[in-house]
Amino acid sequence: MIKGARKPWYKKRAFSAMLLLLVNPLQAEWKLPDSFQIHGFASQAFILSTDNNFFGGSKDNGTFDFRELGINASWRILPRLQVAAQGVARWAGENDEGSPRLDYGLVDYAFVSNAKNTWGLRLGRVINPIGFYNDTRDVAFTRPSIFLPQSIYFDRTRDVALSADGGQVYGEQRTSIGDFILQFNIAKPRVGTREERALLSHDFPGQLKGDTSVFGRLLYEKDGGGIRLGFSSFWANFDFDSALSTDSISSGSIEFSPLIFSGQYNGERLSLTSEVALRHFSYSDFGPRIPDTDFTGLSWYFQATYRFTPRWSAVARFDSLCTELGDCNGEDFAAKTGQPAHRRFADDWMVGLRWDVTSSIMVRTEFHHIRGTAWITTEDNPNINDLHEDWNMFSLLVSFRF
């Protein structure tokens, strides 16, 4: 083509059509169905603590090592058939270094759906029905605070608690006295190195696997959620295949079977929430390194949220964890193991403030005063003898969603 000559008309049209397609893809013939939805979120936090590290090197100078990125999609193929999935990358200090994972991916079919009843089945990687907040713990906007109450919703074992591979039967009965919601899962928990360190206190040669487990929850809601009551429980099984030829640690099994009682009041401005959990553990066949043991712990919290305006709210909470009833101060544990007694308990006083800048941007800040180190990870604190029983933590989080 001669320099300075005009482009042929058909090339101009092709270029214009391509530009229009890129700028406004919904005008293309292949536009997505109306029932297809896609959403995402991103969060970045700063954490500063005294004496002990949490989610990275937070001690003294603070850390930006806590961030979350996620995208989810759902498509209602038929009025009673839906598919949904969510992928996440999460950074939380040495305990979680951003490896992408599938939080959930499922097919949902409602056998019955009318004004009074809903009954259905979900298959795939399904959310575990645990307490009030496990269903929505993945998105910062839906959590009551930057960090959930660690006595019940441990962040160090987030993945194994969040979802499992299997199926869920669910139902909802709407009556004149309130709504009853039932969920029942049969699935295998997701287990990795993080969960092995949390459950066995070490990454031993071999592999920890989730075995067939059951999860269940019954919720009661009155006045559109003004009053909420719940009971949830599960029987989670884990098997460890040892790769060691010595008898220091053998192939063994773990059973975890907590009972969780939940209650919540939601007024125009004030919400009050409390949950209590009896957490039963049983370890067997691991050999002398981990003797057979059976114990029950107690976890509970009380939380108050006050909404000053639609965009500003404050939260206060007391959260308490006792790893083993009868030894809540950890003295017997310390005498047997030589580890600090404060590794067996944690009492956390927290106050926080939330600002919804827009419907898509949220800023949160909170302060914790903590006595005990039961939910601190050894990945961020490799020398547990350097841990301090009393410590403070400040955090600031900015979150975006679309």
Side-chain angles (χ1 to χ4, degrees):
M1 182 182 295
I2 300 173
K3 186 176 181 180
R6 294 183 178 181
K7 292 182 180 179
W9 63 271
Y10 57 86
K11 289 188 176 182
K12 286 185 177 180
R13 287 193 177 180
F15 177 77
S16 299
M18 188 182 301
L19 183 61
L20 180 62
L21 190 63
L22 291 172
V23 173
N24 192 4
L26 293 181
Q27 291 187 6
E29 292 296 329
W30 45 265
K31 71 176 183 178
L32 296 172
D34 293 337
S35 60
F36 183 89
Q37 296 187 18
I38 186 167
H39 301 282
F41 57 89
S43 299
Q44 175 64 62
F46 171 75
I47 304 171
L48 175 65
S49 61
T50 62
D51 303 305
N52 306 318
N53 288 320
F54 186 70
F55 283 0
S58 60
K59 184 171 61 175
D60 300 328
N61 296 320
T63 180
F64 289 93
D65 281 352
F66 179 42
R67 71 189 67 89
E68 299 167 299
L69 299 174
I71 188 165
N72 57 68
S74 64
W75 179 22
R76 187 164 294 281
I77 303 172
L78 299 172
R80 294 188 179 184
L81 179 64
Q82 178 176 290
V83 294
Q86 176 170 284
V88 163
R90 187 171 182 268
W91 292 259
E94 297 296 324
N95 189 52
D96 203 338
E97 297 181 312
S99 300
R101 83 288 304 263
L102 181 70
D103 264 356
Y104 61 82
L106 55 92
V107 178
D108 182 341
Y109 183 76
F111 295 101
V112 177
S113 182
N114 55 49
K116 290 188 176 182
N117 294 279
T118 300
W119 290 94
L121 175 68
R122 298 181 177 114
L123 295 174
R125 179 162 289 178
V126 293
I127 298 292
N128 295 325
I130 303 171
F132 279 149
Y133 296 119
N134 197 59
D135 308 56
T136 57
R137 68 185 298 168
D138 49 336
V139 183
F141 276 81
T142 58
R143 297 195 292 260
S145 49
I146 296 177
F147 309 111
L148 285 173
Q150 294 296 295
S151 69
I152 295 177
Y153 303 97
F154 284 89
D155 273 313
R156 66 181 183 180
T157 54
R158 169 194 179 274
D159 288 357
V160 73
L162 179 65
S163 58
D165 296 329
Q168 178 187 96
V169 176
Y170 65 91
E172 182 173 354
Q173 178 78 38
R174 293 169 282 277
T175 72
S176 59
I177 62 171
D179 300 336
F180 296 87
I181 304 163
L182 174 67
Q183 294 159 300
F184 181 79
N185 291 19
I186 299 179
K188 288 188 176 183
R190 304 155 55 195
V191 179
T193 303
R194 289 186 297 272
E195 288 72 30
E196 183 176 332
R197 290 191 183 119
L199 292 170
L200 298 177
S201 301
H202 190 77
D203 181 13
F204 292 105
Q207 186 176 12
L208 185 69
K209 299 178 181 179
D211 202 352
T212 302
S213 306
V214 294
F215 304 77
R217 179 176 63 187
L218 177 64
L219 293 174
Y220 168 74
E221 296 186 355
K222 184 175 176 57
D223 299 330
I227 298 293
R228 301 178 71 208
L229 301 173
F231 170 73
S232 51
S233 181
F234 57 92
W235 179 44
N237 298 289
F238 307 92
D239 294 322
F240 179 72
D241 294 330
S242 178
L244 292 176
S245 58
T246 65
D247 60 358
S248 63
I249 181 166
S250 306
S251 297
S253 61
I254 305 170
E255 291 182 6
F256 178 39
S257 51
L259 304 175
I260 304 172
F261 303 88
S262 309
Q264 187 175 73
Y265 162 79
N266 290 303
E268 182 179 355
R269 292 182 179 271
L270 178 67
S271 292
L272 302 174
T273 307
S274 183
E275 295 188 277
V276 179
L278 290 170
R279 305 165 59 250
H280 180 257
F281 282 94
S282 177
Y283 288 74
S284 58
D285 302 325
F286 284 98
R289 181 76 177 268
I290 304 177
D292 289 2
T293 185
D294 191 288
F295 61 91
T296 298
L298 175 66
S299 303
W300 68 277
Y301 72 88
F302 181 80
Q303 173 182 281
T305 302
Y306 189 80
R307 294 169 287 277
F308 301 103
T309 71
R311 293 191 176 186
W312 286 91
S313 62
V315 61
R317 181 172 66 226
F318 176 72
D319 183 26
S320 180
L321 167 63
C322 163
T323 300
E324 182 176 1
L325 289 172
D327 187 33
C328 284
N329 59 14
E331 291 181 357
D332 291 345
F333 170 80
K336 292 177 182 178
T337 65
Q339 297 185 33
H342 54 72
R343 291 294 289 156
R344 302 291 272 184
F345 63 84
D347 291 334
D348 179 6
W349 293 91
M350 183 273 287
V351 291
L353 190 65
R354 170 174 174 164
W355 175 31
D356 290 310
V357 184
T358 69
S359 60
S360 300
I361 301 174
M362 177 190 69
V363 178
R364 243 190 178 129
T365 185
E366 59 191 45
F367 175 80
H368 298 250
H369 174 67
I370 307 149
R371 177 179 170 269
T373 61
W375 41 260
I376 284 181
T377 67
T378 55
E379 290 91 336
D380 291 323
N381 302 272
N383 189 348
I384 60 174
N385 292 314
D386 289 341
L387 292 172
H388 289 247
E389 180 176 326
D390 293 287
W391 56 294
N392 299 316
M393 180 171 68
F394 167 81
S395 55
L396 175 68
L397 178 139
V398 179
S399 186
F400 167 77
R401 66 179 174 182
F402 67 87

